[in-house]
Amino acid sequence: MPAPHAQEAVTVSVFVQRFSATRRGARLARRLAVHQLDLWGVPYGSPSSEVVALVVAELAANAVLHGRVPGRDFELRLRCDRDADFVRVEVSDTHPGRPKPPDSIPDPADGDGGRGLLLVETLAERWGVRERTGPGKTVWAECALTRVVN
């Protein structure tokens, strides 16, 4: 009988889900992201969970508000890499426009908008935009994990 082979520990986990390009879809994306992180050993309410929740909320809101194409969904992809201690958040939509943060902090008198990507830039280790298969783009951000339990 051959000797059993030791299995390597799984250190990368992936979650992918499509959502309707609505405010409800964006809210659900944030809630499911936090739930998935908890399943991966990043507890609810932890600093890492809160950072990822904010990044998902901003990117999903942008996909709904600025990247929406009628009749098309947006996609959330989370990739948790325990060896590298980061979570990569990717939000894909079918609109061709590429986001960029404002050159300066918007004046509060100008309304509530224009700060989302500044928040992502502040919270994430790095972020960017890339082409995707099919129409549109993917906006991604990598967030550091302060502690992974598993």
Side-chain angles (χ1 to χ4, degrees), residues 4-143:
H5 295 299
Q7 291 183 330
E8 292 183 31
V10 174
T11 60
V12 176
S13 301
V14 178
F15 170 82
V16 181
Q17 181 68 48
R18 297 185 73 90
F19 298 93
S20 64
T22 62
R23 289 179 185 218
R24 178 178 279 176
R27 185 174 60 245
L28 184 57
R30 180 185 54 79
R31 287 180 161 200
L32 284 179
V34 172
H35 177 71
Q36 189 61 51
L37 288 175
D38 188 61
L39 293 175
W40 288 338
V42 181
Y44 289 109
S46 68
S48 295
S49 178
E50 295 293 325
V51 165
V52 171
L54 285 169
V55 168
V56 169
E58 290 301 332
L59 296 183
N62 282 351
V64 168
L65 296 174
H66 307 295
R68 184 175 181 276
V69 173
R72 299 288 180 107
D73 296 335
F74 73 91
E75 180 182 274
L76 170 67
R77 176 181 296 265
L78 300 175
R79 182 176 180 270
C80 182
D81 188 329
R82 289 172 184 81
D83 284 344
D85 285 334
F86 76 87
V87 173
R88 183 177 174 103
V89 176
E90 296 182 358
V91 175
S92 301
D93 63 57
T94 55
H95 194 279
R98 297 175 70 87
K100 62 178 184 165
D103 296 329
S104 61
I105 297 174
D107 184 347
D110 292 341
D112 292 335
R115 294 171 190 80
L117 287 178
L118 286 174
L119 182 62
V120 171
E121 192 169 82
T122 300
L123 294 173
E125 298 298 309
R126 60 192 151 273
W127 75 278
V129 183
R130 67 175 172 79
E131 297 296 321
R132 64 182 287 247
T133 303
K137 79 277 187 188
T138 297
V139 183
W140 59 269
E142 292 180 351
C143 304

